[in-house]
Amino acid sequence: VVEIGPGRGFLTRELAASASLTAVAARGAGLSTSTSQFLKIPSGIRAASLGEAFVALADDASAVNWNPAGLAQIQRGEFQLMFLKYFADINYSSAAMVLPAGDIGTVGASFIYEWVPPFNSTADPAAIKGVASDLSVSLAYGKWLHPRLAVGIAGKFVSSSLVDRVSRGGGVDAGVLVPVLHNKLQAAFAIDNLLSGNSSYSGLDIKEKLPSTAKAGLLGRMRPGPNIQGDLSLEYSKPRDSASYYKAGLELGYKRMYFLRAGYRMRAE
């Protein structure tokens, strides 16, 4: 797993095995009744390494996909690029960009693409090879409506192709952030694909909705020294198509250059 993105004042490259482990868990969360399951793979190594407890933190470019209200926290332009070599020769890449626009708010965009090399699933070695891929493009906006309330919204277009079949759909994400106690605590709530259009493969009378997850989180900020910072994030998430999860993540930083992160998630049912 490789991610390139802005740190706090410099460009950083991170390697994290935990991201791939979390991605496996996302795909193995039980039988699903929604389409476009690739949307459950965590975008951004930082969020993945925090056990996906990111809805109340969401202060980097990946907020486009986690909680669009978090975009309001970003004060300068950011860009993230991630590539994941998945099992079964599956390739996953994501890119996110954020641009603050002063009092207008903050806008962001995200691009996710998952694909496999051409394959032959028949017994005929001369058969034409098939292809499979998934694509998601999102545009997001976040703004402080009040010093104690930030809101955000994102719209996405999703397309999946399998051999000669194509499925297209769309969804809308929404979120809020509420800082309290002089920003020492921050509460958050977000819903993925709150509004979701039916997605169906061309030529097939099958219609499915995009996966939707409601997330509520609480962030505690610790600043024991001028060069030391810590963030403890707790979250409860309820996917529409699988079991609920409790999540926890801890991020410790030194001079905003060196970070130690740990995360854990547990099924609530």
Side-chain angles (χ1 to χ4, degrees):
V1 182
V2 177
E3 180 180 66
I4 300 175
R8 298 298 182 261
F10 66 101
L11 188 67
T12 179
R13 178 177 294 131
E14 302 179 59
L15 302 177
S18 58
S20 59
L21 294 177
T22 308
V24 171
R27 282 295 182 90
L31 183 64
S32 172
T33 58
S34 301
T35 186
S36 301
Q37 290 293 297
F38 77 100
L39 295 174
K40 292 185 176 182
I41 298 178
S43 62
I45 290 178
R46 184 180 176 214
S49 63
L50 293 172
E52 302 179 32
F54 205 63
V55 68
L57 184 53
D59 61 355
D60 62 22
S62 67
V64 174
N65 300 309
W66 293 96
N67 182 357
L71 296 175
Q73 305 179 99
I74 302 174
Q75 299 179 356
R76 61 181 179 181
E78 289 193 10
F79 176 77
Q80 278 189 5
L81 180 64
M82 171 181 169
F83 175 75
L84 167 65
K85 189 69 176 179
Y86 209 39
F87 66 85
D89 213 16
I90 298 174
N91 301 284
Y92 176 92
S93 61
S94 68
M97 180 176 66
V98 170
L99 181 64
D103 294 337
I104 298 176
T106 304
V107 295
S110 170
F111 175 89
I112 298 174
Y113 186 59
E114 180 188 53
W115 76 99
V116 297
F119 58 89
N120 183 359
S121 58
T122 72
D124 182 7
I128 298 176
K129 293 185 176 180
V131 294
S133 64
D134 298 302
L135 169 69
S136 173
V137 179
S138 300
L139 295 176
Y141 172 77
K143 179 179 174 60
W144 290 106
L145 295 183
H146 183 273
R148 292 292 176 263
L149 177 63
V151 299
I153 190 169
K156 66 166 65 76
F157 167 78
V158 179
S159 175
S160 298
S161 64
L162 179 60
V163 190
D164 61 344
R165 305 288 184 179
V166 178
S167 172
R168 295 185 177 92
V172 175
D173 306 340
V176 297
L177 287 179
V178 182
V180 295
L181 297 179
H182 304 287
N183 293 329
K184 293 182 179 179
L185 289 177
Q186 184 161 272
F189 180 76
I191 301 181
D192 301 333
N193 300 309
L194 171 63
L195 301 175
S196 172
N198 289 331
S199 177
S200 61
Y201 278 96
S202 54
L204 298 178
D205 188 22
I206 300 175
K207 293 185 177 182
E208 298 175 301
K209 290 186 177 295
L210 300 180
S212 180
T213 301
K215 300 171 288 187
L218 184 66
L219 172 68
R221 301 186 188 277
M222 301 167 285
R223 300 295 183 265
N227 295 320
I228 302 175
Q229 64 274 349
D231 291 317
L232 175 63
S233 183
L234 304 175
E235 182 175 325
Y236 172 80
S237 66
K238 179 59 180 80
R240 178 175 57 193
D241 59 355
S242 61
S244 304
Y245 282 91
Y246 296 114
K247 306 174 183 178
L250 176 64
E251 179 180 74
L252 300 176
Y254 178 68
K255 292 186 176 181
R256 296 188 178 275
M257 295 179 64
Y258 307 100
F259 294 91
L260 177 65
R261 301 182 180 107
Y264 183 77
R265 74 175 202 165
M266 175 181 67
R267 290 184 65 159
E269 302 173 3

